[in-house]
Amino acid sequence: MKKIYLFLLFTSLLTTAFSQKKIKYSKAFLAKLEKIQIDLYTPVEGKYKSTRPTKNDYQAIDHVIYSKKEALEIRYAIIPFEEGKPTTQIPHIDFMRVVMSTATNEEEEAVVSVHSIPDQDLKTNFNADWGSMAYFQPKTRFSKYKHCRLVSLYSEGLGMVYVFFLFDEPSRFLDNRLHSLRFKTKI
């Protein structure tokens, strides 16, 4: 009887391991993550899959994953630090540029809500020097989803990362994916 349980447990673990191979990262994306020293935590549940970033006029996107089960699409944009390039040295200005570029301005009732991430959360959860979050309705040419939560994180001398969480209805999955990356510990 124990052998049957062990066999079933082993089979389910193998099935889970093989089903998680659907997220594939490009070499360019992995190189950018390494350049700005980001650890990315791949979701192990939710049946996430990779898809190609769609071209848009508002924000370059490096990688996209989505889950039909969780009704959530996550887009990553990585901006490595460049000496002499102001947008990689003044994170709050670039963050507002990204918000204004991707948030809709087609509806009068459209609201953008911006929140800073408390310093303790930045250090503990993201190992970042600066961070902010925005909630807004994205431009229709940027996303087919009704809502966006944008998380922006910055580490001085390394760069900036933008994570776009796109969804139609808020759910617990949105908060479950919030801490999906962090800067590696500075030496």
Side-chain angles (χ1 to χ4, degrees):
M1 193 66 154
K2 286 184 181 182
K3 288 182 181 181
I4 291 173
Y5 287 124
L6 285 174
F7 175 76
L8 290 173
L9 177 65
F10 179 73
T11 304
S12 68
L13 288 174
L14 272 178
T15 303
T16 302
F18 285 117
S19 68
Q20 296 308 314
K21 299 291 183 190
K22 297 185 183 187
I23 297 179
K24 296 178 181 167
Y25 301 106
S26 70
K27 289 180 183 178
F29 180 65
L30 292 173
K32 276 188 168 184
L33 289 176
E34 188 59 36
K35 185 172 185 174
I36 68 167
Q37 299 180 26
I38 288 278
D39 282 328
L40 182 66
Y41 306 111
T42 303
V44 293
E45 65 280 332
K47 297 183 179 181
Y48 277 83
K49 297 178 183 177
S50 296
T51 186
R52 287 185 173 243
T54 55
K55 300 271 186 208
N56 68 78
D57 297 331
Y58 307 109
Q59 177 62 47
I61 301 296
D62 294 303
H63 188 71
V64 179
I65 62 174
Y66 72 96
S67 169
K68 286 183 182 179
K69 181 180 178 183
E70 294 184 1
L72 185 62
E73 179 175 299
I74 305 172
R75 298 181 186 181
Y76 302 93
I78 310 294
I79 314 329
F81 176 82
E82 288 182 37
E83 195 67 47
K85 187 175 179 184
T87 57
T88 63
Q89 297 171 21
I90 310 170
H92 57 284
I93 301 292
D94 198 53
F95 170 72
M96 289 310 297
R97 178 199 58 81
V98 171
V99 170
M100 291 186 325
S101 295
T102 56
T104 190
N105 55 3
E106 298 168 1
E107 297 181 29
E108 289 183 31
E109 296 89 35
V111 174
V112 175
S113 176
V114 176
H115 308 275
S116 62
I117 300 172
D119 286 342
Q120 185 61 37
D121 288 345
L122 282 173
K123 298 295 181 201
T124 304
N125 296 319
F126 301 107
N127 199 29
D129 296 315
W130 179 90
S132 197
M133 203 177 307
Y135 294 87
F136 55 86
Q137 181 181 352
K139 290 181 176 167
T140 55
R141 289 182 20 203
F142 179 72
S143 173
K144 63 182 170 99
Y145 291 95
K146 295 177 187 175
H147 305 285
C148 178
R149 173 200 262 178
L150 171 62
V151 175
S152 176
L153 301 168
Y154 173 79
S155 184
E156 193 163 335
L158 295 175
M160 205 134 167
V161 60
Y162 294 102
V163 185
F164 298 85
F165 297 92
L166 299 156
F167 56 97
D168 287 329
E169 296 295 327
S171 70
R172 65 182 168 86
F173 302 116
L174 186 60
D175 287 334
N176 290 348
R177 302 291 165 238
L178 180 61
H179 301 107
S180 62
L181 56 85
R182 69 180 274 125
F183 287 95
K184 294 177 183 178
T185 304
K186 293 181 183 179
I187 299 172

